[in-house]
Amino acid sequence: MEYFPLLFRSRRAFPLVVTIVMAACNVHPPTSAKTTSIPVLNVSCKGQDDALDCRALKQVAASAIDSRESVDVTDAVVWTTSDASTAAVLRGHVWSNEPGSATITATLRAGNETVTASVLVVVGDDGGGPQVAYDLSGVVRDVSNTAIPNAELTLSDGQGGNRIAVVVTGQNGGLSEGTFRFAPVLSGTYRVQATKSGYRPVERVVNVPDTSPLTLVMLSEPR
């Protein structure tokens, strides 16, 4: 996977939580309701020297109204890496080998179901340890909520000075018109600017990770 060298300056620890949607079926009246829940598996990682210490937590609901209770299943899940030449993993301990990116996955067998949770890690060319990374994606629209194709998106650091990457809506990884995606992006504060001829430039400050959808609305230039 292609990555941006300027993204590897941060060394802060940060968590990543990936949620698997719970499926439940209830065909009885509320007074006699019985729920069958697929456990939710979460992965949280923090920096430890030049490595990552990742924990896997299984969450199950005691009842339909009770909050979920977390159980540490780090030693019970199967840990795998998509690229051992970049990052290797053993019992949740992730260490780096070569620059690049890799997906670390925890897999748990729950009855007849298998649930997984993954975290993307990157290794910079500065010789540092692996760091958790995220996707930064969104859509560019006009005031009528119509997607704007071929707009140029620029990702810069929090001060807006150092340009990190540039993508064009609808032309990155087969995304649909008006959509954009930067990946991998480390935890931190960034500026995203959208420009296109005939429209006024628009800029947003974003904090990564932020799970809320990012929508940039562009106003057309007066004729």
Side-chain angles (χ1 to χ4, degrees):
M1 178 183 294
E2 181 180 358
Y3 60 93
F4 308 126
L6 290 178
L7 297 184
F8 299 119
R9 295 169 297 171
S10 172
R11 289 186 171 276
R12 294 174 295 172
F14 40 87
L16 175 72
V17 177
V18 179
T19 304
I20 308 300
V21 176
M22 180 187 72
C25 179
N26 182 6
V27 295
H28 300 286
T31 54
S32 59
K34 294 182 179 180
T35 61
T36 56
S37 299
I38 298 175
V40 175
L41 189 63
N42 299 324
V43 170
S44 177
C45 301
K46 64 180 181 179
Q48 187 178 62
D49 297 327
D50 287 332
L52 285 174
D53 180 25
C54 297
R55 312 298 296 175
L57 300 176
K58 180 182 72 172
Q59 294 181 315
V60 293
S63 72
I65 59 174
D66 287 347
S67 60
R68 293 181 180 273
E69 299 178 354
S70 296
V71 178
D72 193 322
V73 291
T74 301
D75 295 331
V77 301
V78 176
W79 294 93
T80 57
T81 175
S82 64
D83 188 353
S85 64
T86 293
V89 59
L90 178 64
R91 298 187 182 91
H93 184 73
V94 182
W95 66 95
S96 59
N97 291 318
E98 299 177 357
S101 63
T103 300
I104 305 299
T105 302
T107 303
L108 177 68
R109 186 73 177 177
N112 295 325
E113 301 289 340
T114 299
V115 292
T116 63
S118 299
V119 57
L120 176 65
V121 301
V122 293
V123 179
D125 55 9
D126 58 357
Q131 300 182 66
V132 179
Y134 307 89
D135 283 1
L136 175 59
S137 58
V139 63
V140 181
R141 300 185 180 277
D142 61 19
V143 291
S144 65
N145 204 33
T146 301
I148 300 178
N150 303 319
E152 184 177 271
L153 276 294
T154 302
L155 179 68
S156 304
D157 62 18
Q159 288 71 43
N162 295 323
R163 176 182 291 188
I164 296 172
V166 177
V167 298
V168 177
T169 55
Q171 296 184 8
N172 183 38
L175 297 176
S176 60
E177 285 190 352
T179 58
F180 64 90
R181 174 175 176 263
F182 294 100
V185 181
L186 298 182
S187 175
T189 301
Y190 300 88
R191 290 181 182 271
V192 178
Q193 183 183 59
T195 58
K196 184 178 180 179
S197 178
Y199 292 86
R200 297 176 183 175
V202 61
E203 184 176 272
R204 285 275 301 276
V205 175
V206 295
N207 294 306
V208 177
D210 186 347
T211 57
S212 58
L214 179 61
T215 300
L216 299 176
V217 178
M218 301 188 72
L219 300 176
S220 58
E221 291 281 8
R223 296 182 182 275

